[in-house]
Amino acid sequence: MAHKPLANFSLVFTLILFCVCSRTGESRAPFACDPRDGMTRNLPFCRVSLNIKDRVRDLIGRLTLPEKIRLLVNNAAAVPRLGIKGYEWWSEALHGVSNVGPGTKFGGDFPGATSFPQVITTAASFNASLWEEIGRVVSDEARAMYNGGVAGLTYWSPNVNIFRDPRWGRGQETPGEDPVLAGKYAASYVRGLQGKSANQLKVAACCKHYTAYDLDNWNGVDRYHFNARVSKQDLTDTYNVPFKSCVVDGKVASVMCSYNQVNGKPTCADSDLLRNTIRGEWHLNGYIVSDCNAVGVLYDSQHYTDTPEDAAAATIKAGLDLECGPFLAVHTEEAIRRGKLSENDVNGALVNTLAVQMRLGMFDGEPSKQQFGNLGPRHVCTAAHQQLALEAARQGIVLLQNRGRSLPLSVSRHRTVAVIGPNSDVTVTMIGNYAGVACGYTTPLQGVGRYVRTIHQQGCTDVACNSNQLFGAAETAARQADATVLVMGLDQSIEAEFRDRPGLLLPGRQQELVSRVAMASRGPTVLVLMSGGPIDVSFAKNDPRIAAILWVGYPGQAGGTAIADVLFGTTNPGGKLPMTWYPQNYLAKVPMTDMAMRANPSRGYPGRTYRFYNGPVVFPFGHGMSYTTFVHTLAQAPNVVLVPVTTLYKLENSTTMKNTIRVTHTNCDTFSLGVHIDVENTGVVDGTHTLLVFSTPPREKWSPKKQLVGFKKVHVVAGGQQRVRIDIHGCKHLSVVDQFGIQRISMGEHSLHIGDLKHSISLQATLEEIKT
Ligand SMILES: *[C@@H]1O[C@H](CO)[C@@H](O)[C@H](O)[C@H]1NC(C)=O
Ligand SMILES: *[C@@H]1O[C@H](CO)[C@@H](O)[C@H](O)[C@H]1NC(C)=O
């Protein structure tokens, strides 16, 4: 089948959509404190002039116990005698307003919302201002849909679990395997969603799933029964890092506890994890919610308590404020009657949920009269929002290999391009999971069709690719074209929630199709991989007939445009892999249930992620090429940094603790350093470059081989040069965590790596004057 170029398709589409949407929609009635309701409008909890704490206290004082209990669950019941409507807490906005969760519905004035690339793709941009900007746009659309009565204000996104194992079906939802990267993503996206004012939240975000949850269903073990055995060390320096950053730096309004157990305790019933850590140490200003039915799961499936009342009591006492699911509404009153829990414990939970609703303006009367009250259907799927979705896809695409600079293709030399593969003409596949209804799509085939004439062949009917029936036609197409683009990879039938992958190779006979088409192809063959998780494509990497390999993740509604822009060089790719691409045989040594990050040679365990795994890879974390070349020079960096020690101390002097200082004994405010690097674009095209700064601490047997301590993305014109400053936070980034979970700073030589640059910094303790 031949296609003519589809010039300006998306512009026309955007204009049509804009016209359809620009009439004003129905606006929602007040959730509470309706100014027309004389009975309630003057009650203290409705008074905007009072502070939120006092309003919450007033409201709790008016509620009966049964009313309170019906507010502990996601479909919170109305309290008609106080003029309060029911509220559905469960909405999702992982990479665009989503229709997963009953709080949000598309249709009518809101047929769709901007569908950004899946998070693993956006993470590959390593661009923190992009992450925040996406959050800002998503919350515009979410508020607009709330005002129109079709969405909530509490969004259970983002997912910031560490992408620990390459098989994980939900790895696509996360920002990857590195804790610093994931933490930065969490804080940036949450800031974008929630807006600038803590007491006037635009929407309330939620970091999930706390913690050490990153297995869905593997080898007979599912997430409802999984007991993750996690060392204090791995918890502190890996699994909890993004959550801490989300709460402390991102000031998120909610954290969700997970289904799994950690060291024998369900996370939603663990007061150490909830009350002591999230609230006590990190000072969450917001509510803790359970994953959906997690309280039921810990009773019914994990048999963690003897009675349902004990389950209700254990979770609320541990610090749970809201359950997604019906369990607490059914069993909490009886738990109180039996003396397992007090009404005061329930009040404590309501303080946290009601305060968030008040910060969202839900008790401030007429929504249309409030901040964000003007947002409506014409603010959804705008041309600017859809442009940002395209921009995000362009920034996230990673050029993995480019043999003899075969890419970019040229419209004058490659006038006809064969576009082949099960993902070559897909739409919903491009938005991954936890998506909504997109504003519209440009498929890869349509994208390429805007540049050149295309010949299209599916090659396989779907990604499972069980038959070679269509291979012959694909080979014929490749023989007739000046270049061949194979769009292969995965979709939600291979990796998804509740679906971990058994292996890392391309499914079914995809590999065979790629090799046969590459053999037949008259021109260069380009392999485009669409997937969330990494794929072992060693066969293609080593095949001289495969000219180039691109990884596009799940690139969102505008994915096809972005792919074509990269293929033809309108966009110079600058994405970097946010996770290690392991070879298939790595899996044989690593049960998915083994949570240990660190290698253990005595039991043949190779360790996980670039921080601890030293073995062969297909492509490493941080890999990503460009159509130009960049050269780094160190412009300025300290050789010696003094570590200010605040308390009288002595360097601890056991074999493992030698020459380390606890972070808590350090003045972290004054312990930072700046590294200045010149980046020169030595090629002939403009490009963006991500500087990744890694550090290797002095060797302890438990320290990572290297860890990311900072990153920055810059645009440099051809022949130009830019100086980049990267600030390194000493306590956060140069510390390591010991076996007891204590953060320490090792004195001595820390080696920084930036590309092939190396620089050594010596840390030396200095006693700080004690100010009194
Ligand atoms: C540190 O340990 C060494 C060897 O055990 C010992 O000789 C030395 O006195 C110790 N120093 C301090 C400050 O405790
Ligand atoms: C980061 O993303 C923002 C938002 O799209 C964009 O304006 C900026 O140019 C990007 N930075 C670089 C260096 O590409």
Side-chain angles (χ1 to χ4, degrees), residues 155-388:
Y155 287 85
W156 294 345
S157 309
N159 176 347
V160 298
N161 288 119
I162 292 295
F163 195 172
R164 165 186 65 98
D165 190 292
R167 288 161 283 199
W168 190 29
R170 303 188 72 177
Q172 58 180 304
E173 298 171 32
T174 76
E177 76 184 24
D178 180 74
V180 168
L181 169 62
K184 187 85 184 166
Y185 175 84
S188 307
Y189 187 60
V190 166
R191 267 198 292 270
L193 284 178
Q194 295 193 163
K196 291 194 174 12
S197 163
N199 280 337
Q200 285 186 309
L201 291 170
K202 196 173 172 193
V203 302
C206 171
C207 277
K208 68 188 185 187
H209 316 75
Y210 179 79
T211 186
Y213 163 75
D214 41 36
L215 172 150
D216 267 63
N217 193 359
W218 178 81
N219 208 21
V221 182
D222 71 38
R223 57 186 182 170
Y224 306 123
H225 299 86
F226 180 45
N227 176 17
R229 284 175 221 284
V230 186
S231 69
K232 282 209 165 86
Q233 191 172 34
D234 287 339
L235 198 63
T236 310
D237 81 355
T238 300
Y239 298 113
N240 277 359
V241 175
F243 291 96
K244 182 176 180 184
S245 171
C246 183
V247 173
V248 175
D249 305 327
K251 309 217 173 339
V252 76
S254 172
V255 173
M256 179 184 283
C257 51
S258 54
Y259 290 119
N260 56 289
Q261 301 190 344
V262 171
N263 300 327
K265 260 193 188 178
T267 60
C268 293
D270 189 331
S271 55
D272 245 352
L273 286 177
L274 307 190
R275 211 170 274 290
N276 299 349
T277 305
I278 304 182
R279 265 191 208 290
E281 279 178 41
W282 304 341
H283 307 292
L284 171 73
N285 176 20
Y287 67 98
I288 299 177
V289 60
S290 79
D291 205 338
C292 294
N293 291 321
V295 184
V297 163
L298 71 88
Y299 173 71
D300 292 322
S301 307
Q302 299 177 2
H303 310 293
Y304 180 69
T305 61
D306 293 334
T307 68
E309 292 75 25
D310 285 313
T315 51
I316 293 173
K317 281 184 161 161
L320 188 72
D321 303 309
L322 184 77
E323 186 210 359
C324 176
F327 197 90
L328 291 185
V330 179
H331 299 291
T332 304
E333 196 163 347
E334 181 63 16
I336 292 174
R337 218 184 49 77
R338 295 197 197 169
K340 295 175 188 295
L341 190 72
S342 72
E343 183 163 356
N344 233 355
D345 294 321
V346 173
N347 292 347
L350 294 189
V351 164
N352 295 324
T353 49
L354 293 173
V356 167
Q357 289 182 310
M358 296 217 178
R359 290 160 65 201
L360 286 162
M362 293 170 70
F363 287 83
D364 295 354
E366 204 66 70
S368 62
K369 298 227 169 73
Q370 294 169 30
Q371 199 187 4
F372 316 117
N374 65 317
L375 295 170
R378 71 199 160 83
H379 298 96
V380 180
C381 289
T382 65
H385 292 183
Q386 298 198 58
Q387 184 63 31
L388 188 66

Side-chain angles (χ1 to χ4, degrees), residues 28 87-93 96-107 110 112-113 141-142 145-146 149-156 435-437:
R28 138 190 319 265
Y87 179 68
E88 176 53 65
W89 283 81
W90 183 5
S91 288
E92 305 267 354
V97 179
S98 165
N99 52 6
V100 174
T104 304
K105 286 182 179 63
F106 288 100
F110 300 93
E141 299 196 351
M145 290 179 70
Y146 173 77
V150 295
L153 286 176
T154 44
Y155 287 85
W156 294 345
V437 177

Side-chain angles (χ1 to χ4, degrees), residues 127 129-130 388 391 395 688 713-715:
N127 182 348
S129 52
L130 174 68
L388 188 66
E391 179 59 27
Q395 289 192 33
T688 49
K713 193 179 180 92
V714 279
H715 185 80

Side-chain angles (χ1 to χ4, degrees), residues 35-164:
R36 284 158 300 203
D37 180 354
M39 291 275 288
T40 62
R41 69 174 176 227
N42 292 322
L43 295 175
F45 72 81
C46 288
R47 275 189 225 146
V48 181
S49 59
L50 295 181
N51 74 43
I52 285 174
K53 224 173 132 190
D54 295 334
R55 294 171 72 189
V56 168
R57 191 181 308 128
D58 175 71
L59 175 54
I60 290 176
R62 293 171 193 281
L63 295 167
T64 65
L65 182 60
E67 284 167 347
K68 288 176 186 176
I69 283 166
R70 288 292 289 112
L71 299 181
L72 291 172
V73 290
N74 64 299
N75 64 340
V79 188
R81 64 179 188 90
L82 293 175
I84 299 170
K85 295 202 167 63
Y87 179 68
E88 176 53 65
W89 283 81
W90 183 5
S91 288
E92 305 267 354
L94 185 65
H95 50 109
V97 179
S98 165
N99 52 6
V100 174
T104 304
K105 286 182 179 63
F106 288 100
D109 281 342
F110 300 93
T114 309
S115 208
F116 288 90
Q118 183 56 288
V119 176
I120 193 77
T121 312
T122 305
S125 74
F126 281 84
N127 182 348
S129 52
L130 174 68
W131 303 333
E132 187 166 340
E133 183 65 6
I134 292 175
R136 199 188 58 69
V137 164
V138 170
S139 57
D140 265 4
E141 299 196 351
R143 259 288 168 175
M145 290 179 70
Y146 173 77
N147 291 341
V150 295
L153 286 176
T154 44
Y155 287 85
W156 294 345
S157 309
N159 176 347
V160 298
N161 288 119
I162 292 295
F163 195 172
R164 165 186 65 98

